[in-house]
Amino acid sequence: MGKPMGCSMKQKAAKYITNVAVLLFALVLAAKLAGPAALRLYIESGIGDCKKIPILCMEPAQQIINPDINKECILESLPYNFEKLSICVPKGFTVIQERIKKVYYKKREHERNGPVIYLLYEKPDFFVNLYPQLKKEGIKDNYEFVKRIMFANLHKMNSLSDAFFVIMKSIFTPDLGGQKNVVMAEFNTEAFRGFINYNLSKPNQYFDCNIINKEGGYFKIYIKDKGASLDLNKVLAIISSVKEI
């Protein structure tokens, strides 16, 4: 499927800004009334605690640096060209390009009967332009924005900024199966850097890849691997093939 689905980016951005503005207003009130403890209580009551959403209290614990890429895996894959990106994917997957929205990976159940890969691309500085107030926090590009999300931790939350990124972590994290089995990894290659959250439990595997290229562009590759045909090396090969159009 080559056509992006969902509302326009401007509509989605406006909705995100509105939702986050409301959340931040409530967080400011909570912070003024009782400090970090109230912030945590507010988020736990609105989103969930670490028992309900374990990844909110997890951080990247694995580092993958300049891994060997299986070139044969790329040669055996099928090329896909979309509006914003191209990629090579192993046979048997439905591949869909998406736009930013909170629950894209939960809707359209009829499309989830088999292995599926969702793709997303945003230009450099997309998140900084969407949330310009974050520049005061020292966040100047897509990578720093995504890094703050991945290292956000409900147990370590002490400020409004920390609370914002915990909320964003809940939004950014797709269905990963049982989150207690999820591994969060940070990776660096010659062309990309970013984070992979993955669950290798059988019979289905999940990979949530947040990738930034040298130019600062942001890619998200979410893989629901029904039947567990992939492994981490094959996913790294898929990542290595992605290109901006």
Side-chain angles (χ1 to χ4, degrees):
M1 297 183 180
K3 292 185 178 180
M5 299 180 181
C7 299
S8 68
M9 180 55 62
K10 289 184 179 180
Q11 290 174 314
K12 291 300 175 184
K15 183 178 179 181
Y16 260 39
I17 291 171
T18 301
N19 290 344
V20 172
V22 172
L23 286 169
L24 288 179
F25 176 74
L27 288 171
V28 169
L29 291 179
K32 288 184 176 180
L33 290 173
L39 285 175
R40 285 191 289 273
L41 180 61
Y42 173 79
I43 289 180
E44 287 176 356
S45 62
I47 298 174
D49 58 16
C50 296
K51 184 176 181 180
K52 181 180 178 181
I53 311 176
I55 202 167
L56 293 184
C57 294
M58 297 169 60
E59 300 175 13
Q62 179 183 3
Q63 283 196 332
I64 303 169
I65 301 174
N66 293 325
D68 292 329
I69 303 299
N70 187 343
K71 301 295 184 181
E72 292 184 4
C73 179
I74 298 174
L75 293 174
E76 294 173 357
S77 298
L78 298 175
Y80 288 82
N81 293 298
F82 294 90
E83 178 186 359
K84 294 185 176 182
L85 58 84
S86 65
I87 193 170
C88 293
V89 172
K91 297 177 181 179
F93 284 85
T94 298
V95 185
I96 303 170
Q97 182 181 357
E98 275 292 350
R99 297 187 187 277
I100 284 280
K101 52 185 175 180
K102 183 177 178 180
V103 291
Y104 66 82
Y105 45 83
K106 295 179 181 178
K107 293 185 177 180
R108 298 189 300 279
E109 293 292 332
H110 64 283
E111 293 177 353
R112 299 177 63 198
N113 293 329
V116 61
I117 296 178
Y118 294 98
L119 308 172
L120 175 72
Y121 171 77
E122 298 298 344
K123 294 180 179 180
D125 299 326
F126 171 77
F127 294 110
V128 175
N129 292 332
L130 192 59
Y131 304 113
Q133 68 273 22
L134 294 176
K135 292 179 181 179
K136 296 179 181 179
E137 299 288 332
I139 297 172
K140 300 179 181 180
D141 55 34
N142 286 338
Y143 176 76
E144 290 298 328
F145 183 84
V146 174
K147 183 177 180 179
R148 282 292 299 272
I149 290 175
M150 295 303 150
F151 280 93
N153 190 317
L154 184 59
H155 283 165
K156 298 179 180 179
M157 193 180 66
N158 293 305
S159 66
L160 286 173
S161 176
D162 293 340
F164 171 83
F165 284 105
V166 168
I167 292 170
M168 294 305 296
K169 192 171 189 177
S170 72
I171 294 172
F172 259 62
T173 304
D175 176 19
L176 292 173
Q179 285 191 3
K180 291 183 179 179
N181 297 318
V182 169
V183 176
M184 298 186 70
E186 185 173 2
F187 75 92
N188 281 275
T189 69
E190 292 183 0
F192 301 104
R193 58 179 175 168
F195 304 87
I196 306 174
N197 306 321
Y198 63 93
N199 184 348
L200 298 180
S201 301
K202 303 296 188 296
N204 303 319
Q205 299 182 151
Y206 302 82
F207 302 87
D208 173 34
C209 312
N210 296 275
I211 307 150
I212 293 86
N213 63 13
K214 286 184 177 180
E215 293 72 32
Y218 169 75
F219 300 87
K220 189 177 186 73
I221 303 175
Y222 167 58
I223 305 173
K224 184 171 183 180
D225 182 22
K226 279 199 169 185
S229 64
L230 301 177
D231 56 30
L232 189 56
N233 288 332
K234 290 180 180 179
V235 171
L236 288 166
I238 293 172
I239 291 173
S240 73
S241 73
V242 72
K243 294 180 181 179
E244 174 191 0
I245 295 179

